[in-house]
Amino acid sequence: SLFGYAGAAGVGAAAGIVGGRVSLGDPPGPHGLPVGEGVTRQRHDPYGVHQSGILTPAPAAHRLLALDLLGKTDAGALARLMRVWSGTIAALMAGRPAPGDATPDLAQEGVSLTITVGMGPGVFRLPGLEDKRPAGFQDIPPMDHDKLQERWVGGDLVVMVQADDETTVAHASRRMTVDARPFALPRWSQAGSWRGVDPSGNPVTGRNLFGQVDGSRNPSAEELGQALWSTDGWLSNGTQLVVRRIQMDLDEWDALVRDRQEKAVGRNLQDGAPLTGGSEKDDIDRTAQVDGVPVVALDAHARRAHPAENRGRRMLRRGVNYSHVDDAGQETAGLLFMAFQASIAEQFIPVQQTLDASDALNEWTTAIGSAVFALPPGFSADHHLASGLFD
Ligand code: HEM
C-alpha cells in the first residue's frame, strides 16, 4: 500500500525508511490472530536522516504538545533543551528510562513510540536566530471559514508523541514536559487517535469521525520527494508542519442522507472509492458526467483539494481523530489535521485558500485551532536535534 493518511503502513514502508523501524516479529494478537506487520508493536529508530513520526505508520494514540519559551530562554538555552530532549527521545524510543525518570518501569520496547520535535515562529524572533527562519515558513493567514480559539493557536515549540497506547504517550509526554520546565511551559495539548488496522491487525487506511476513509490519495514519500523534505539551510531534511484543529458537526452530518454525504467528498463511504468507479486508491475522474452533470460535484472536497486544481501542489496529510469533553461537559469532535510539506507558503496555504473559497465540506467543518512548526532533520548520538540551527 503506497497511500496512507496516517494509518497505512505504506507511508513508512514506501519510504524505504528513514528513521527506520525494527519489527519485533509477529506475536499473536487478541483471539490468537496474527498481528499485522508494520503498524503496531514496532521499535522505531530515534536516529536517522529525518525525524521519526512523519513517515512511520500512525499508531493508535497521539498527543501534540505545544510549549512557549520562558522570557529568559535565549538561543543558548534552547540549544541545551534540544540536547536534553535528544537524550530523552533516544532513551524512550529504545525502551529505556530517560535520565532522571522516577517511573523507569513505564519505559517499554516495542510500543511503536515516536517523539517528534518542532519549532514555532517565536524561535526565529530570538536574538541570533532572526535570520534562520526557513523560506516559506509562516503562519496561516485568516480564512473566511475559520473560528479560531486562542487556546488552540500558536506555540514556540511542539512535541508530537505517538504510540500504540495512551499510557506510553502520557509517560513520554510528561518526560518531555518535565525536561522542558527550566526553558518552556505548556501552552496547549491536543490528543487524538487513529485506527489504521482492520480487526485482524492488518494495515488499512483509517476513517475519520464522519466515517470517511481518509488518506486514500496521500502521496508516497517517493512521489513527494522534495515536496516533503526541505532543502533550505539548517532545515535540510526537515519539513514544515501545519496543525489545524478542525471541528466537525457530527449532529448535522448524521442528519444527511448517505448520498449527500458521499457527494460532499466525491467518494463513497463504504470503501472510499471514487463516485466515478474503481477502488479505494483510484483517482476520481474529474471529466465524468451523467446528463451533462459532473459525477464528482464541482465543490466536492476531493476535487477541490486535488493537485490538478491546485497547480500540482501536494502535501503529506497525517490527521487523527479527536473527541474532547470541555470544562462544561460539552463534547466536541473533529480532525486534528496535520500536513507536512517543504514550504507552508507554497503548498498548504494556496490549497487551503482553494478550499476556503469553495468546498462542500465547509458546511460541517470549522477550523478552531491553527499552528505552524519547522521540524528539524533527524539527529544522531553525536549531533543533537536542530544542532544546525545554532551553528
Ligand atoms: C482528500 C476529508 C480537511 C486536503 C480527502 C478525502 C477525505 C477528506 C475523506 C478523500 C480520501 C483521501 O484521498 O484521503 C477531510 C476532512 C477534513 C479535511 C473531513 C476536515 C475535517 C482538509 C484540509 C486540507 C485537505 C484542511 C488541506 C488544506 C486534502 C487533499 C486530499 C484530501 C490534498 C487528496 C486529494 C486528491 O489528491 O485526490 N479529505 N479533509 N483536507 N484532502 Fe481532505
Side-chain angles (χ1 to χ4, degrees), residues 5 205 208 210 212-219 244 246-248 265 267 272 280 282-284 301-307 310 313-315 317 334-335 337 339 348-349 351-353 355 359 361 364-366:
Y5 191 34
T205 312
N208 62 39
F210 281 161
Q212 300 158 337
V213 178
D214 196 341
S216 309
R217 293 293 295 174
N218 225 0
R244 303 277 283 177
I246 306 179
Q247 194 163 308
M248 311 202 315
V265 170
R267 292 179 167 269
E280 188 215 321
D282 289 332
D283 200 359
I284 51 169
H301 179 73
R303 177 192 288 272
R304 295 292 293 166
H306 198 282
N310 293 281
R313 295 175 172 111
R314 322 195 72 164
M315 61 190 78
R317 291 171 291 134
L335 192 65
F337 178 94
F348 179 86
I349 291 176
V351 176
Q352 177 60 71
Q353 282 165 335
L355 297 177
D359 174 3
L361 279 186
W364 308 281
T365 60
T366 310

Side-chain angles (χ1 to χ4, degrees), residues 11-322:
V11 176
I17 285 218
V18 255
R21 68 194 159 91
V22 183
S23 170
L24 297 179
D26 233 4
H31 318 297
L33 294 168
V35 170
E37 170 73 26
V39 173
T40 60
R41 302 187 187 183
Q42 302 297 309
R43 179 163 63 78
H44 298 294
D45 191 345
Y47 300 139
V49 177
H50 309 296
Q51 285 195 75
S52 59
I54 299 165
L55 289 170
T56 35
H62 299 246
R63 194 179 300 191
L64 280 188
L65 181 71
L67 303 100
D68 282 337
L69 298 175
L70 297 175
K72 63 177 184 190
T73 303
D74 58 12
L78 182 60
R80 287 199 294 283
L81 172 58
M82 291 301 138
R83 184 182 301 275
V84 172
W85 269 358
S86 301
T88 294
I89 293 170
L92 290 176
M93 283 183 60
R96 294 194 314 269
D101 190 355
T103 53
D105 309 287
L106 284 171
Q108 277 188 52
E109 205 183 342
V111 289
S112 312
L113 176 66
T114 61
I115 305 172
T116 317
V117 169
M119 321 266 187
V123 164
F124 309 104
R125 291 193 287 267
L126 289 178
L129 298 182
E130 297 104 326
D131 58 355
K132 297 291 181 78
R133 192 176 64 83
F137 181 66
Q138 62 164 89
D139 275 313
I140 311 307
M143 301 285 152
D144 285 346
H145 289 90
D146 287 1
K147 290 208 175 97
L148 299 187
Q149 301 172 11
E150 198 44 38
R151 59 188 293 208
W152 305 121
V153 169
D156 292 335
L157 297 171
V158 75
V159 178
M160 289 171 56
V161 184
Q162 309 173 52
D164 288 336
D165 68 283
E166 178 57 32
T167 301
T168 299
V169 168
H171 173 241
S173 300
R174 184 170 145 74
R175 291 325 315 158
M176 296 293 281
T177 308
V178 171
D179 282 351
R181 272 183 199 154
F183 310 97
L185 292 178
R187 179 187 177 97
W188 51 251
S189 167
Q190 306 194 46
S193 62
W194 196 250
R195 186 163 173 92
V197 288
D198 70 10
S200 306
N202 298 310
V204 290
T205 312
R207 289 181 189 266
N208 62 39
L209 292 172
F210 281 161
Q212 300 158 337
V213 178
D214 196 341
S216 309
R217 293 293 295 174
N218 225 0
S220 69
E222 282 88 351
E223 286 174 286
L224 276 167
Q226 292 307 325
L228 175 59
W229 301 118
S230 177
T231 52
D232 182 26
W234 74 272
L235 193 64
S236 289
N237 288 316
T239 184
Q240 299 185 12
L241 165 67
V242 176
V243 179
R244 303 277 283 177
R245 186 176 182 86
I246 306 179
Q247 194 163 308
M248 311 202 315
D249 191 338
L250 299 187
D251 286 334
E252 291 288 329
W253 183 259
D254 285 351
L256 301 173
V257 294
R258 200 168 166 95
D259 178 59
R260 178 95 197 279
Q261 294 177 337
E262 293 182 331
K263 273 201 172 115
V265 170
R267 292 179 167 269
N268 78 33
L269 284 160
Q270 196 196 332
D271 61 5
L275 294 182
T276 46
S279 59
E280 188 215 321
K281 309 288 173 161
D282 289 332
D283 200 359
I284 51 169
D285 178 353
R286 294 179 307 121
T287 62
Q289 297 192 340
V290 170
D291 299 334
V293 179
V295 178
V296 174
L298 296 182
D299 67 350
H301 179 73
R303 177 192 288 272
R304 295 292 293 166
H306 198 282
E309 306 247 336
N310 293 281
R311 295 209 245 145
R313 295 175 172 111
R314 322 195 72 164
M315 61 190 78
L316 178 74
R317 291 171 291 134
R318 189 183 172 95
V320 291
N321 300 317
Y322 75 83

